[in-house]
Structures are given as C-alpha cells and as structure tokens.
Amino acid sequence: MAAISVVIAVYNAQSYLPRFARSLQSQTFRDFEAIFIDDASRDDSAAMVEGFASGDPRFRLLRHPQNAGAGAARNLGIRSAGAETVCFADPDDLLPENSLEVRYAAYRKHKAIVRACHDEITDEGRLLNHETRPGDLPEICAPARAAPRIGVNPFLCAHWTWLLPTNLLLRHNIFHGENMRTADDIVMLAKLFFHIPRLVWIPDTVYYWIKRAGSLSNRAYAPEHYADYFRCCDIFYEEAAKRRQTRLADIFFNDYCLAYPNHFLRQVSEGKSGEADARALIAEMAGVCERRGVFVRRLPELRKNPIQLAGIYRLWRILQDDSPSALRKLVNSQNAVYQLSREAEYEGIRKAGWKQEISFDKFDREQGLLRARYLFCDAPPAESYRHGTTELAPAFAKNRKVFDGKGYAIYERILWLPVPEDGGEKLGLLVEGKNAGLDRTPQSVREAFAPRPLDDGAFPPDARALRRLARSPAMRERFRDAWMFMDRDTRADDNAEHLYRWVLRNRPDVNAWFVLREESPDWKRLEAEGFRLVAFDGMEHNVLFLLAKNLVSSQMDLYVYARLDARYYGDIRACKYTSLQHGVIKYDLSPWLNNVDMDCFVTTTPDEWHSIVDDGTAYILTAKETVRAGLPRHDALLAAPAPERRIFIMPTWRADLAGKWDLKGQRRDYNPDFAASRFAGAWRDFLHSPGLESLCRQYGYEAVFWPHPGFADYLEEFSPPAYIRAPAGESIQDLLKTSALLVTDYSSIAFDMAFMRRPVLYYQFDADAQFLKGQNRRPGYFSDEGDGFGPVCRSGEDLLAALASALRADCRPEAEYLGRMERAFDLRDGKCCERAFAAILALHGREKGQ
C-alpha cells in the first residue's frame, strides 16, 4: 500500500499536464500514487496521461465516459484510492518538491489530519497571496473548538493543501459535491469538519494555485456559481445541526453573506452581472436564512451589536430595503456594513491618535517625488523628513477627510516627499517620533519602484507577440515620444480632439496620434483635417498604448487608461496619463476618481479646483496632480458665433438604466427595460408636449434633441416628433455653440452654456437625492439651485413656463444667473489648450521639448 494517493480531476488540460506531471515526478517523497480521472476531455489529455503512466507505474488513468464534473471525478478517485492517505490537486497548478514529504511527515508525527499553506501566483510566477496559518490558531487544534474564535472558513477552503486518511472519508461517506459548477471541494470539507478531532496546520507552502486569465477564479460567476456556494452553507447547517452546533454554521453563513455580495458587486462594476443576477443572489441568501431560522436566533444580538455578524446583518438590511432595484439593495447593504466596519477601525485610530502604519505607494521618477500615506485623527501628528541630517519639506501635503465620527474626524495624510538625485545617506520619515520604515537611500528608492524585466516565456501567445512587436525597431521609431489622444472610442468631438488640434497647429514637432473607432462618424471628418488616426482596439492601438510617452483623454474608463494587463506589459509601458475631463465636476466623484491612477487632472473653475485639492476634501488628488487650465474645448466656445434660434435638449445618462458593460469600449448591451423607465417617460412626455411645439412655432425656434452619448442607441425609445431634429452625425460642439438655450437635467454641459453666457433650464423631475443615489454619486460643492445657471424645474409644466419666459426674453440670462456665470469662469482668454499642454510637459520634470 502506498502512503499517499494524489487525486487529480482532468478536463481539457493538455496544455498544463506536462508541467504538472513533472512537479509530481520531482517530489522528494516517492511513496505515492497519482490517480488521474479524465472527465471526458475533448482534447488529448487522456492520451497524454497514458503516456506518463507508461513510463511511471505510480501514475494511473481512470475515465468518465461522459462529462460529470470535477466533483464526480474526484469522488471516483477517492473510491479508487489504494493508499493510506489522500490529497487533491488540479492539473493546471503545481506542487513544490517537498509538498508530499512535509505533509506525510506531519501526519505520522502528530497522528492528525494535516492542513498546510498555499501561494496564489500568476501565470508568469508573480506572487498574489501567500497563505499563513491564522495568527491566533495554535499549530494543533480541534476545528470545532477553534472556529468560534477564528471562524469556520479557514477550515473549509484550499482542499489541495490537506492530507486526509482515506478510510475516514470512505467510512463516513465524505465526498465532494456533484452536479455543481464550483465549490464541490467545500462540500467535502463541510462534511469532514466535525470528524476532525485533531488537526495540525503546518506553515509549509505545499501548493501553487495558478491564477490563469481563463480560470474560474478570474472569470465571471453566473447565478449558478453563487447558488453552489450557498448550497455549501445549507450542507454545513445540516452537519452542524446533528451536533447542536448551529451557531458555528451561522458564522460560516455570515462570512459568505459578506464575501459573495462583494464579489458580485465587483462583477457589476465590470459590466459582467446585472439586475436579474442580483435578484437570484438575494434569493439564494434569503432561502438559506429562512430554512435555517437564522433571524429567529440571531436578530436580538444583531440589533445590539451588528458588527459581530456583519454578513447576516447585511442580509437583514437587504431584506428590509424597499428599493425597487435588487442591485440598489446590495449597494445599500454594502455601504451600511462598510460604515460599521469603518467606525470600528476609526474608533481605534481615535484612541491612538494615528494609525501607526505608513505606506509608500507611488514614486514619480521624473519629478523625484515619493508618496507617503497614513491615517490620523483630528490633528496631524508631528512629522520630520530628512536626507541624512538635512531636513526636507514635503513638496505637496494634504489632509484628506475619510470619516466623520461623533465628535471626531479621521483624515488621511498624503505627502509627496522629494527624493534627491544623489547622495549615499538614507532618507528617513518620523511621525510622532516613530520611524516610518523608509530608511532607504535615494538610489534604493528608485530601484524599488523600477519596473522589473519580465520573463515572457510562459505568457499567452498573443501577449508575447504584442511584446515582440512593441520592441521592434520600426514600432519604436514610429511611436518614439508619442502622445496618444483619445475621447470616447465611438466618438471624438471632446477635449482630446480640441487639444490635439491645438498641438497639430502649434506644436507640429510633437509625435501626436488620435485613437478612434474606424466606423465612428467622426473618423472621416478628422482624417480630412489631417489628424493622424489609429483604429481603436487594433494591434497598432495596443502598441501605441505601450510605447506612448503621454496618454491624454477626456475619458476616465478602464478601456482608455488600463486596456492591457500590466502583468504582461508592466516592464514596457512608462506613460503619463492626463485626464482632460469630460466636463466640470460638480458632485463628489471621489469614490470613482480615487481609483483612477492619473498623473495630471485638468480642472476649470476656482471652486472645482478647491473642491479637489483643499484639506478636508475627499480626493486623493493633491495640488501636485491637479491643474487649473480650463477645458480645451472652451477655447472654441469662446469664439462661438452669435447663437441661432435653437433650443438644445440634452439629458444626461443614468447608470442604473445602462446595459451590461464589458469595459472594452463605450458600447453596452441594450437594456430592454429602458423605455418603461420613469426617466424615458418624463423626457418623452416633454418632447411630445403640445406646449413645446407651440413655443417653438410661436418664437420661430428649432428644437434639437441629443441624449447623452451613453444613450445614443435609445433614441427611438424617446420617439421625438418630426419637428424636433435628432442628431445625424453632426458635431455636438458645433450645435452647442450655435444654440441659444440649453434644456438639461443634471448634465455638466450646463457649464459649457454658462461659459458662453447663455441660459440653462434644469428639468429635474426626480429629486436630486434620488438622482445621486441612482448614479452612486455624492453631493459636492455645487448645487444647481444655489449655484446653477438657470431655474430648476420639478415638473413638465414648470419647465414649459420657464422656457416661455426665456424665449420672451430673447434667450438673455437673468441678472442673477449671469452673475453666477461670470463668477464661475475667470479663464476666458482662449488659452485653455496652451495651459493644458504646458501642464503635460511639466510632468516630465526637467525634460524639454516633447
């Protein structure tokens, strides 16, 4: 009898099997059998295993005639195991050479079931996570006794790191789940949990979990995946109830009610899940809760101390929420739990004065500045920054407010510290006399943030091909010191187009390129004007993205600034990203912008600039990254001709009405519920109102309806009447600058009309708070009613009355609104493009010219 049976479920794994087989044959422990169960693979996996077995008698092949899933394959392996112990592995992962040796030695020494550790690594070998034994857990324990203190989940995961007695599994019918898309291993561990009187958790790393781009852990979960995870909760409840340990099952269920809604919302943010998926997830959680009587047992405790079981509290909040949208319920519950956890963390910081952990997370090589960040309460601690014995002052510093407590506030201190060019003496940062852990020479700081050359031997073929092309002399010459400009992938006609045009006319020495879809209605117009165009999403676009010195865009979406996986190209790309913005910010967009890694952020009005960079604001951006240059398109608006008799109607978009998004461009899936929405109905009613047509005819005005570009595919859902003109490949800027009056709801395009001193009417039939909630936005420094450039109308009747008044006044702004327009815009000198260009040049420190 062998000592260990290694059970491997195989399905279409021929690309990985040779490497995996070598890792088994390289084991320092030799007394094992490897049982490969081919689950009706459609490739040559089975033949490959047969080849291994012909040269190594420890390898065995079993076959499923039809695909039955990984769980069924592993169960066949357990039933066929002939060794004293059993462990599991997947053929696309790897085992360190001592994986079996250290586990079997611990099993024999401690006469206990063995749990060890694993590493999560990428295809190219980059470490993502190194697992360790929970800090409060002794090496030897009984899981049922330890779980109330450290949780159940550490004992119900990573099945490939375990070593189990084979007859224990067979005697108690402990098998993997079947007919599942995922989590079959968790079912096995859930059934095992109460049969472990003694477990030894060794510190050794015994498994390398390879996180491939196409693996389940990196793919989108369908509702069935989440259902499988909550099926595990049901099974663990059944096992716990047999032993009157239901409270342990509550702990496990609580963890899943935290983890999987968070996972789901990340998918939503990536456009991979939607409303129907959210309803299915909530139904799964609610079903377990109802079947197991969770609220009956735990609700009194939750009301006293909700953070104790934050996941179950989250579910209770979801089920109490009367929002019509399941997605909104999940987001609301996430915010509520986040608030609770933050309060607990920040209360600790309040007592200590500051969080005694400092991160050095970003280095600007061209400007020689290192960013340091830490949290403090109320008043900044004393700081001292030195190079050797020389005291240095931060180049930029900011106190970002992150939390308002009861009688106190938590801030994040953000410092940009100068790193001298040379000198062998170390840099040091002290906070309240405590060493912050910098203790490096300037040279070692530069080396720490320098990109490491990547070994692309194991990269996907398309990544290797792109790397070779980007390194070719022809491409390097073509895109030497290139500036890559881009608005949306589908349309230009925004700030990047306007700045590119200025560069084309004023700085022909700059190697400038403009990215756009070739089928865009703007392509031929820009081509005729002499723009050097690159087709979006083509190979040339990808090479330009890797080699460009500057990326300049009006958009802040991932498909613009993070379109390629840094794991494969991080050693090639060294680009500065400038956000020209799509419009003037008026809301607090910090939850979004704080996750966008940009080098230069262009603002326009004094109030907008202060709302970003001042102490006490919510943005990570400081005066280092934020410049007040003005929107490049405003230079063209300054030269606008006298307005024509035109009413420009442009509502903004609604995030909760947009279809699913793959993040690869502006296009989204069609939302079949759009036409029935209150938003579409209200604007449809206004467009079809007899009063609007009567006013247009009475005063001789044309009406143009141009919904937000995000809703360009829904124009028919508004069904504008024949007398209202819809866009037909025209330039929005050309139409806007010749229009006499704007009707919008919340769009920042109102600032463009105000820049030209033309009247704005705001049609806000939904309360402002309701709009912000749907957009996941927070109130900012600007209120349309208190600071806006025209009246705010809450009904169609009010809007028609305001429109009639504006037309009677020949579309001249009222004195109150004209005063607001004049106060908002002091940069009306035609030099917005020039200032933006200078700010981008300044990103490169002492470099001159391009």
Side-chain angles (χ1 to χ4, degrees):
M1 175 188 292
I4 301 174
S5 295
V6 184
V7 173
I8 308 106
V10 178
Y11 181 69
N12 291 347
Q14 67 177 29
S15 299
Y16 312 104
L17 276 167
R19 184 178 67 173
F20 176 76
R22 286 194 298 272
S23 79
L24 275 179
Q25 291 170 331
S26 300
Q27 290 297 303
T28 54
F29 186 81
R30 310 295 295 172
D31 188 16
F32 69 89
E33 64 170 356
I35 306 172
F36 293 82
I37 306 92
D38 181 69
D39 195 27
S41 295
R42 292 175 294 176
D43 64 4
D44 292 331
S45 293
M48 195 171 282
V49 173
E50 285 180 333
F52 302 149
S54 67
D56 191 332
R58 296 173 300 174
F59 284 31
R60 274 203 286 157
L61 174 65
L62 304 177
R63 295 175 184 265
H64 269 163
Q66 294 180 326
N67 182 263
R74 288 164 181 153
N75 291 340
L76 177 58
I78 293 171
R79 293 187 179 97
S80 305
E84 178 186 5
T85 62
V86 64
C87 66
F88 304 92
D90 291 336
D92 55 350
D93 296 329
L94 295 171
L95 279 69
E97 290 183 352
N98 66 344
S99 175
L100 301 182
E101 180 182 1
V102 295
R103 280 188 273 182
Y104 192 71
Y107 173 76
R108 298 290 290 181
K109 176 181 177 180
H110 298 287
K111 296 180 172 54
I113 287 175
V114 179
R115 167 79 154 94
C117 301
H118 72 280
D119 285 347
E120 295 177 37
I121 62 177
T122 63
D123 277 343
E124 71 274 15
R126 182 168 58 91
L127 181 67
L128 297 175
N129 181 57
H130 170 65
E131 185 188 33
T132 59
R133 184 174 69 241
D136 294 337
L137 186 69
E139 184 180 32
I140 297 174
C141 68
R145 287 198 292 271
R149 186 166 42 86
I150 70 157
V152 174
N153 204 45
F155 303 106
L156 298 189
C157 64
H159 75 137
W160 354 261
T161 67
W162 295 66
L163 186 66
L164 306 167
T166 307
N167 37 353
L168 174 70
L169 302 184
L170 296 172
R171 186 167 67 250
H172 295 287
N173 287 312
I174 297 172
F175 293 104
H176 288 70
E178 298 191 9
N179 301 313
M180 301 176 72
R181 296 183 67 173
T182 189
D184 61 275
D185 53 324
I186 301 173
V187 170
M188 184 271 291
L189 293 170
K191 294 178 177 179
L192 173 70
F193 182 88
F194 290 104
H195 293 284
I196 309 175
R198 182 176 169 86
L199 178 133
V200 57
W201 191 321
I202 60 177
D204 305 79
T205 296
V206 301
Y207 198 83
Y208 296 141
W209 180 19
I210 312 298
K211 301 294 285 290
R212 294 180 293 106
S215 64
L216 176 61
S217 56
N218 284 330
R219 292 201 309 267
Y221 278 15
E224 293 81 5
H225 291 104
Y226 295 110
D228 286 342
Y229 282 110
F230 285 100
R231 176 180 166 187
C232 296
C233 293
D234 259 330
I235 290 170
F236 193 65
Y237 267 115
E238 291 170 5
E239 297 297 320
K242 296 173 186 176
R243 291 136 181 116
R244 298 184 179 181
Q245 295 271 19
T246 303
R247 293 178 75 85
L248 284 183
D250 289 341
I251 294 172
F252 182 50
F253 180 53
N254 175 77
D255 289 346
Y256 274 26
C257 286
L258 278 177
Y260 288 105
N262 288 346
H263 182 279
F264 176 81
L265 288 175
R266 284 196 299 273
Q267 289 202 164
V268 171
S269 71
E270 296 167 358
K272 297 175 181 177
S273 297
E275 177 67 19
D277 304 320
R279 289 195 295 268
L281 174 59
I282 292 172
E284 291 294 340
M285 294 190 292
V288 174
C289 184
E290 183 178 354
R291 286 190 296 273
R292 305 303 167 182
V294 178
F295 289 157
V296 174
R297 282 192 314 279
R298 307 309 291 257
L299 200 53
E301 298 170 58
L302 287 176
R303 286 175 172 149
K304 291 179 182 177
N305 184 15
I307 198 65
Q308 181 182 3
L309 289 170
I312 295 173
Y313 170 74
R314 175 182 201 161
L315 178 57
W316 180 77
R317 289 290 299 251
I318 290 170
L319 299 180
Q320 296 297 309
D321 195 329
D322 60 1
S323 300
S325 164
L327 284 171
R328 174 50 49 193
K329 292 179 181 181
L330 289 171
V331 170
N332 290 345
S333 71
Q334 183 182 50
N335 293 339
V337 170
Y338 178 60
Q339 184 77 1
L340 283 174
S341 61
R342 284 207 312 173
E343 288 175 1
E345 177 191 1
Y346 295 154
E347 180 60 25
I349 295 173
R350 184 188 68 79
K351 292 176 181 177
W354 67 289
K355 186 174 183 179
Q356 299 182 23
E357 298 175 8
I358 301 177
S359 68
F360 300 94
D361 67 333
K362 190 173 183 180
F363 180 61
D364 186 327
R365 184 171 300 277
E366 287 77 7
Q367 298 188 18
L369 296 175
L370 175 67
R371 187 167 70 180
R373 299 165 62 184
Y374 66 89
L375 298 176
F376 68 89
C377 181
D378 290 336
E383 298 165 345
S384 174
Y385 177 58
R386 297 187 176 191
H387 179 214
T389 59
T390 304
E391 189 82 18
L392 300 175
F396 301 92
K398 176 178 177 177
N399 303 323
R400 177 177 83 93
K401 182 177 280 190
V402 297
F403 181 73
D404 265 317
K406 296 178 180 177
Y408 71 95
I410 300 295
Y411 296 86
E412 181 180 44
R413 181 74 167 156
I414 303 173
L415 303 169
W416 282 99
L417 305 172
V419 177
E421 275 292 317
D422 49 24
E425 294 181 296
K426 288 186 177 181
L427 299 165
L429 176 64
L430 299 179
V431 179
E432 289 291 352
K434 180 181 174 67
N435 190 323
L438 183 53
D439 289 332
R440 288 176 178 265
T441 64
Q443 180 61 27
S444 66
V445 169
R446 289 183 170 83
E447 289 173 356
F449 284 91
R452 301 291 190 270
L454 298 176
D455 179 2
D456 60 7
F459 286 8
D462 57 342
R464 294 200 305 273
L466 180 56
R467 287 173 62 86
R468 285 196 298 273
L469 184 60
R471 286 170 165 161
S472 68
M475 287 295 102
R476 286 193 172 278
E477 181 60 30
R478 181 173 176 79
F479 295 129
R480 184 183 304 279
D481 293 329
W483 290 38
M484 171 179 156
F485 291 82
M486 182 177 178
D487 288 317
R488 290 181 171 85
D489 62 312
T490 53
R491 294 299 303 258
D493 206 22
D494 207 333
N495 289 307
E497 175 187 322
H498 285 266
L499 183 56
Y500 182 100
R501 182 176 292 109
W502 184 92
V503 170
L504 189 65
R505 293 171 179 173
N506 296 277
R507 290 296 302 265
D509 57 308
V510 171
N511 187 15
W513 301 82
F514 197 91
V515 176
L516 184 66
R517 286 193 185 273
E518 201 164 0
E519 63 269 28
S520 167
D522 296 315
W523 180 279
K524 290 184 178 179
R525 174 176 63 83
L526 298 183
E527 189 176 46
E529 199 176 335
F531 278 45
R532 291 201 295 176
L533 300 175
V534 172
F536 176 84
D537 209 25
M539 184 64 78
E540 192 175 39
H541 176 199
N542 289 334
V543 173
L544 173 60
F545 179 81
L546 292 178
L547 298 181
K549 183 176 185 177
N550 290 298
L551 167 59
V552 185
S553 181
S554 61
Q555 304 302 304
M556 292 180 286
D557 294 314
L558 287 169
Y559 76 86
V560 173
Y561 68 85
R563 59 175 289 97
L564 296 176
D565 193 334
R567 295 178 303 169
Y568 303 138
Y569 310 104
D571 59 337
I572 298 177
R573 189 167 186 263
C575 181
K576 296 291 188 181
Y577 170 40
T578 294
S579 170
L580 300 174
Q581 288 208 76
H582 170 57
V584 177
I585 286 177
K586 60 179 179 176
Y587 300 116
D588 177 3
L589 304 185
S590 60
W592 172 27
L593 297 192
N594 286 349
N595 293 302
V596 179
D597 187 13
M598 64 185 86
D599 300 286
C600 180
F601 186 66
V602 174
T603 60
T604 299
T605 72
D607 288 344
E608 181 193 22
W609 186 84
H610 284 291
S611 78
I612 302 291
V613 306
D614 282 1
D615 283 347
T617 62
Y619 292 90
I620 289 175
L621 295 167
T622 69
K624 173 189 180 296
E625 304 95 341
T626 311
V627 299
R628 201 163 74 82
L631 298 179
R633 67 174 183 252
H634 281 180
D635 288 348
L637 295 183
L638 191 65
E644 300 173 9
R645 300 179 76 80
R646 179 185 304 116
I647 301 167
F648 195 85
I649 305 170
M650 187 178 192
T652 194
W653 83 314
R654 299 294 195 275
D656 52 352
L657 292 179
K660 286 185 180 181
W661 189 22
D662 64 6
L663 301 179
K664 296 179 181 178
Q666 191 65 29
R667 296 166 177 165
R668 292 174 178 257
D669 289 350
Y670 185 82
N671 176 11
D673 299 324
F674 179 86
S677 68
R678 184 186 177 197
F679 168 78
W683 283 101
R684 196 162 47 237
D685 289 347
F686 171 64
L687 296 177
H688 284 269
S689 62
L692 175 60
E693 183 175 6
S694 175
L695 287 171
C696 288
R697 297 191 187 286
Q698 178 182 350
Y699 291 96
Y701 273 74
E702 174 192 40
V704 172
F705 179 64
W706 192 312
H708 185 280
F711 287 148
D713 294 336
Y714 297 87
L715 186 60
E716 291 184 2
E717 307 293 3
F718 295 101
S719 59
Y723 79 93
I724 294 180
R725 186 152 66 88
E730 300 153 280
S731 162
I732 184 175
Q733 295 299 316
D734 289 347
L735 277 172
L736 185 68
K737 67 186 181 185
T738 56
S739 294
L741 178 145
L742 172 70
V743 179
T744 187
D745 44 9
Y746 305 94
S747 175
S748 64
I749 202 171
F751 284 87
D752 293 63
M753 288 297 280
F755 183 85
M756 295 186 291
R757 309 294 196 256
R758 296 179 189 172
V760 176
L761 305 181
Y762 298 93
Y763 181 27
Q764 298 178 359
F765 54 86
D766 48 353
D768 192 60
Q770 181 181 338
F771 168 75
L772 290 175
K773 192 175 182 181
Q775 297 291 85
N776 199 20
R777 299 285 187 260
R778 302 193 297 207
Y781 70 94
F782 189 97
S783 158
D784 289 334
E785 288 188 302
D787 307 293
F789 310 116
V792 175
C793 308
R794 301 297 187 189
S795 68
E797 293 78 9
D798 291 344
L799 177 58
L800 288 171
L803 179 58
S805 177
L807 295 179
R808 281 195 301 272
D810 200 24
C811 290
R812 290 187 296 271
E814 296 178 23
E816 176 186 1
Y817 301 123
L818 181 61
R820 294 179 185 180
M821 295 171 183
E822 292 170 346
R823 287 191 296 273
F825 295 99
D826 59 342
L827 300 179
R828 299 184 80 248
D829 54 4
K831 295 184 177 181
C832 294
C833 288
E834 182 179 335
R835 280 186 291 268
F837 181 82
I840 298 170
L841 281 184
L843 295 176
H844 299 279
R846 286 173 291 279
E847 297 186 23
K848 304 297 182 184
Q850 303 178 183

